Amino acid sequence: MNIATPPIDMALLARFRPETDSIFPESLRARLNSFPILEGIGDNAVQRILSETDWFGLPGGTQLLRQGENDHAVFLVVTGSLGVFVDEEDAPRRLVATIPAGETVGEMSLLTGESHSATLVALRDTELLRIGPKAFDTLLTRYPRVMFNLLKLVVRRLRATTRGNRQKSRPKTFAVIPLQEGLHNVQVVRDIAATLAKMGAKAAVLDVSAHDEATDWFNRFEAEHDVVFYQGDLPDSPWTHFCLRQADSVLLIAHADEDLPLHPYGRRYFKRETMAAPELLLVHPEGSWRGVPRHIELRSDLYGTHHHVRTSSPSDIKRLARFVAGCAVNIVLAGGGARGFAHIGVLKALKEAGVPFDYVGGTSMGGVIAAGVAMEWDIPELTERVRDAFVTGNPLSDPTLPLIALFRGAKVSALLRKHFGDMRIEDLPKPYFCVSADLTTGRDYIHRSGPLWRALRASVALPGILPPVTEEGGHLLVDGGVMNNLPVDVMAAEARGPIIAVDVSGEIDLRADDDRYGERSVWQLIKQRMRGSPSIVSILMRAGTVGSNLQRRTVRELADFLFEPPLAGVGMRDWKSYEQAINQGYAHALLEIEKHGVPLSDSWASGPAVAVNRSTT
């Protein structure tokens, strides 16, 4: 679907299937009574409005022409949705708002007399009512209630803007498009719908047997359900194209053990410019695990995120249902050296409270522990593997001539490879990312694909302690804590549900009492070090994270649930305080859960960031 599609003259537009209905069916009148702008004006007023409106349809991806009288017309979105796009200098056109069915657009320009600065595009097949400027002026004069309703709408939108409301609208319709033959009735889709029904949603699947129904039938069907899956039959059939036009979101489904086409359709069907890129569902047959086909670049211009679905794993189906429902639980773990061991205690408490871990990410030690979660290690296995790698294994035990760093880093690499093997990030059972800092560009580097151990090696490479990791083009990657020690902002850009952040950084008290600290003789420095003065390693570890403190304080506001274990007496290098850090993290999380509850992840109606106290349910 291409936003550059030329605008269609509305005089040429008609309803999608005009031969099947009267001009204004009763269902349209009933629908208008639910519009906030027409609230309380009565049936007679609605009937009069209909007599002065134009009813037309825009195919998905079509730009709404806004010239002449349309520049000051008001449009009511009857079905479908419109996207509001703005052009930015030296940047692609950006989607800034979505106007769903039941909302209006254009009223502000009519009231102020100013021209529109944004472009409206149908995100899917959309029906609209157009009220011209003269008709709208008559409407306001005859029915003052409309002006009152309009003011309430403006206030509501202003409040949402000033509060910085980041909650994304929940898609209603999903096109499930097969990339291979034999996927026209895959059970996975019906299993997701059944799981959503158990969560309280009215969910349904429509297949090719509905292709002869009229437009109004589809409108009524969608109105009667919370979520509808339009299941395509063949990779390039008329019904599949109809499914794509009806969709708020596109799910491309494929067997993981078969080759995927590199370019399955023309790009105009993928809605790249009007919404998020399609998501890829890779279905794994029972008893097998192939991972992602190597010829597919997941972060290309063809696919967005991806999900692995094992037909023998009910947990995968439940996780996908939570993503659809907008209540998937997202976990972000901060860096902090040995203090990061507290993450295990927090995760243990959350697991005991029944919290699922659907999408995980982190920086440095937080990235390592999050990777274990993405590997589906349970808490005992995670505990033992982290102990082996960072306590028993003593990764900082290969000192070298400090031309690049104090340690070679070979021991760290060996321990990471021992526990994560050749696993690639894109092959992990659960969605995952970790963060390093790109010294070449001065920006965050988000690892979403490639060898997991190497991404982690970059994420823990504190400057001066471990050598940087080289990336394509000679880029030098170091510990992500240099720029983004708590990457909640990275998660928030993609999260579909509440974000739980665990910050173990604390306000580390690193100090020395000697006003000539570092200038003394070698023997005096040794004595100071024996009395507990900061060492070069401690200084470098602290220097590697202090720069991101301001950013850390900012992104904490994006988290729905924040855990901050106090970790008294546990420093960044206190590797032997392993059990103490875990226990403190666990105790802190228990208190926070008792006080604030945990995200409600098994209900459709309550919304994505609602807390529930498990101890009282």
Side-chain angles (χ1 to χ4, degrees), residues 2 43 66 71 268 287 301 304 323 348 361 365 439-440 468 537-538 542 579:
N2 194 332
D43 291 339
R66 306 185 79 184
D71 191 40
R268 63 193 183 92
D301 63 347
F323 272 99
K348 178 182 178 183
M365 181 62 76
L439 294 182
T440 304
V537 175
S538 297
R542 181 57 176 152
E579 298 291 345

Side-chain angles (χ1 to χ4, degrees), residues 72-341:
H72 296 101
V74 175
F75 297 91
L76 281 66
V77 182
V78 180
T79 64
S81 60
L82 295 176
V84 182
F85 293 83
V86 295
D87 292 308
E88 297 180 339
E89 188 176 354
D90 299 326
R93 182 170 287 180
R94 183 168 61 93
L95 176 67
V96 296
T98 300
I99 304 168
E103 292 287 337
T104 60
V105 65
E107 65 277 0
M108 293 304 297
S109 291
L110 188 148
L111 293 174
T112 64
E114 298 177 355
S115 296
H116 302 281
S117 59
T119 300
L120 297 179
V121 179
L123 299 181
R124 47 175 297 196
D125 285 0
T126 301
E127 292 183 344
L128 302 105
L129 286 174
R130 175 192 177 276
I131 306 177
K134 292 182 180 179
F136 193 74
D137 185 60
T138 302
L139 177 65
L140 294 179
T141 302
R142 184 166 297 180
Y143 305 105
R145 174 81 185 188
V146 175
M147 176 59 79
F148 177 72
N149 293 339
L150 181 58
L151 290 175
K152 289 199 299 183
L153 282 173
V154 172
V155 170
R156 187 191 69 191
R157 292 170 183 171
L158 286 174
R159 282 178 177 173
T161 301
T162 55
R163 289 174 181 170
N165 189 2
R166 68 174 179 85
Q167 183 172 321
K168 301 173 184 177
S169 60
R170 185 159 54 185
K172 184 183 185 70
T173 57
F174 293 79
V176 184
I177 307 303
L179 296 184
Q180 303 147 342
E181 301 290 337
L183 284 165
H184 63 283
N185 196 27
V186 65
Q187 186 61 32
V188 166
V189 182
R190 300 188 182 277
D191 288 343
I192 295 173
T195 302
L196 289 168
K198 292 178 181 178
M199 294 168 63
K202 294 180 180 179
V205 180
L206 287 177
D207 58 26
V208 67
S209 63
H211 76 283
D212 286 331
E213 299 291 348
T215 299
D216 198 52
W217 184 90
F218 288 107
N219 294 336
R220 290 196 306 270
F221 191 87
E222 291 181 14
E224 293 166 357
H225 292 82
D226 298 310
V227 58
V228 177
F229 295 95
Y230 283 88
Q231 189 159 4
D233 55 345
L234 297 171
D236 200 17
S237 70
W239 167 252
T240 293
H241 289 184
F242 173 78
C243 294
L244 284 162
R245 293 201 315 273
Q246 288 293 107
D248 295 326
S249 184
V250 177
L251 304 176
L252 305 175
I253 191 165
H255 290 301
D257 57 349
E258 298 178 12
D259 289 338
L260 278 79
L262 287 174
H263 300 286
Y265 306 107
R267 296 181 187 214
R268 63 193 183 92
Y269 293 116
F270 279 141
K271 304 189 175 185
R272 283 280 306 179
E273 294 84 358
T274 59
M275 62 192 304
E279 298 182 24
L280 182 62
L281 303 186
L282 286 169
V283 180
H284 299 262
E286 186 171 356
S288 70
W289 181 266
R290 179 178 173 182
V292 174
R294 288 293 158 257
H295 66 285
I296 295 295
E297 184 184 353
L298 291 176
R299 291 282 157 181
S300 69
D301 63 347
L302 204 56
Y303 304 108
T305 190
H306 68 288
H307 304 272
H308 294 285
V309 190
R310 292 160 290 192
T311 55
S312 59
S313 175
S315 64
D316 287 353
I317 297 295
K318 292 179 180 178
R319 174 166 46 82
L320 280 171
R322 288 190 291 269
F323 272 99
V324 170
C327 58
V329 178
N330 309 273
I331 310 289
V332 182
L333 306 180
R339 294 170 64 90
F341 297 150

Side-chain angles (χ1 to χ4, degrees), residues 341-368:
F341 297 150
H343 290 313
I344 299 175
V346 174
L347 293 174
K348 178 182 178 183
L350 290 171
K351 180 65 72 174
E352 291 175 352
V355 178
F357 306 149
D358 296 314
Y359 191 175
V360 290
T363 295
S364 197
M365 181 62 76
V368 173

Side-chain angles (χ1 to χ4, degrees), residues 417-433:
R417 296 202 73 162
K418 173 183 176 181
H419 290 282
F420 295 103
D422 295 327
M423 176 64 73
R424 297 177 65 86
I425 293 176
E426 61 267 35
D427 292 340
L428 287 166
K430 294 184 177 182
Y432 168 84
F433 71 86

Side-chain angles (χ1 to χ4, degrees), residues 537-559:
V537 175
S538 297
I539 293 171
L540 288 172
M541 291 186 74
R542 181 57 176 152
T545 59
V546 70
S548 67
N549 272 1
L550 178 60
Q551 188 269 353
R552 167 179 145 255
R553 296 189 190 102
T554 301
V555 299
R556 282 153 50 103
E557 299 298 322
L558 297 174

Side-chain angles (χ1 to χ4, degrees), residues 388-399 407-419 453 457 460 466-467:
D388 179 78
F390 293 96
V391 182
T392 306
N394 189 13
L396 298 181
S397 59
D398 55 353
F407 301 93
R408 292 175 56 214
K411 187 70 176 292
V412 175
S413 296
L415 287 168
L416 291 173
R417 296 202 73 162
K418 173 183 176 181
H419 290 282
W453 76 268
R457 170 64 178 79
V460 302
L466 293 172

